[in-house]
């Protein structure tokens, strides 16, 4: 398992990128476990999340200052290429010296950059599972990233459904493995 938070983030980006590259031409309109999103919508969402990192973290801009600049279709004619460019920019921003000691100003207020990075990492891991399911790829997630994401999500899992970000948590079966527990926390049945 990668050690530092930027390494965890980079591993989650690689995982999601592998799944993006597994999308076949005819699958971009396919449904995903995120009931409101197609495969393209899901990839656009996660790409957009990574595109927010440089202006918020490196440039110190606010959500209001960025405005609608990162809304709409961010994938264009080359979804995989758009993803790779967004992932590389976010990875570089979080990996810069001192980056994790900064504060970013998110829609819900000032947040430590380390917490922001951890949140994006866990979200990327969960959405890698969603994308895997949608395109018929291997949906087993790396154990280290699952454990990291489980620790990240557990403290605020109940609030995720209220935020509209995820479905309500599901009951976790006795003896469930870490991936099943993580998915249940975000309303998914693995």
């Amino acid at each position: 398992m990668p050690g530092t938070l930027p390494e965890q983030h980079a591993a989650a980006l690689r995982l999601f990128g592998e799944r993006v590259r597994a999308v076949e031409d005819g699958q971009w309109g396919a449904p995903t476990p995120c009931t409101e999103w197609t495969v393209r919508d899901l990839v656009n969402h996660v790409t957009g999340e990574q595109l927010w990192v440089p202006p918020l973290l490196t440039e110190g801009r606010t959500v209001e200052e960025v405005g609608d600049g990162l809304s709409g279709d961010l994938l264009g004619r080359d979804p995989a290429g758009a993803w790779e460019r967004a992932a590389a920019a976010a990875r570089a921003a979080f990996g810069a010296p001192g980056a994790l000691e900064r504060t970013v100003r998110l829609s819900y207020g000032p947040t430590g950059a380390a917490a922001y990075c951890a949140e994006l990492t866990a979200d990327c891991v969960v959405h890698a599972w969603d994308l895997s399911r949608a395109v018929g790829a291997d949906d087993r997630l790396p154990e280290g990233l699952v454990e990291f994401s489980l620790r990240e999500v557990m403290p605020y899992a109940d609030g995720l459904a209220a935020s509209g970000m995820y479905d309500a948590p599901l009951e976790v079966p006795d003896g469930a493995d870490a991936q099943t527990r993580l998915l249940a926390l975000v309303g998914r049945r693995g």
Side-chain angles (χ1 to χ4, degrees):
M1 178 167 90
T4 68
L5 184 51
E7 289 170 342
Q8 293 281 2
H9 178 252
L13 295 175
R14 282 190 302 275
L15 173 67
F16 192 80
E18 290 168 6
R19 299 317 192 260
V20 170
R21 287 185 298 279
V23 178
E24 296 176 8
D25 289 341
Q27 293 180 312
W28 289 101
T32 70
C34 305
T35 56
E36 303 296 314
W37 288 341
T38 65
V39 166
R40 186 177 179 89
D41 295 332
L42 174 65
V43 173
N44 192 67
H45 164 73
V46 181
T47 299
E49 286 187 327
Q50 302 311 314
L51 287 172
W52 277 96
V53 175
L56 296 178
L57 181 62
T58 306
E59 300 167 22
R61 296 169 65 194
T62 66
V63 170
E64 294 79 21
E65 289 170 340
V66 175
D68 292 337
L70 295 174
S71 60
D73 178 24
L74 303 169
L75 302 179
R77 294 175 159 242
D78 180 16
W83 162 255
E84 293 300 332
R85 288 185 295 280
R91 187 172 44 251
F94 279 128
L100 296 181
E101 286 81 48
R102 297 181 191 145
T103 298
V104 293
R105 292 171 288 171
L106 303 175
S107 59
Y108 51 84
T111 304
Y116 179 45
C117 183
E119 177 186 317
L120 288 182
T121 301
D123 193 63
C124 196
V125 170
V126 170
H127 286 318
W129 181 86
D130 293 330
L131 187 53
S132 298
R133 278 290 174 105
V135 301
D138 180 9
D139 67 2
R140 289 303 307 166
L141 301 169
E143 187 176 321
L145 285 174
V146 169
E147 291 291 344
F148 173 90
S149 300
L150 191 55
R151 285 190 307 274
E152 172 63 22
V153 170
M154 283 179 68
Y156 55 86
D158 291 335
L160 290 175
S163 73
M165 291 171 51
Y166 290 105
D167 290 336
L170 304 174
E171 190 171 321
V172 180
D174 291 338
D177 66 8
Q179 180 169 318
T180 302
R181 291 192 322 269
L182 171 64
L183 295 172
L185 281 175
V186 294
R188 287 152 171 83
R189 195 169 312 281

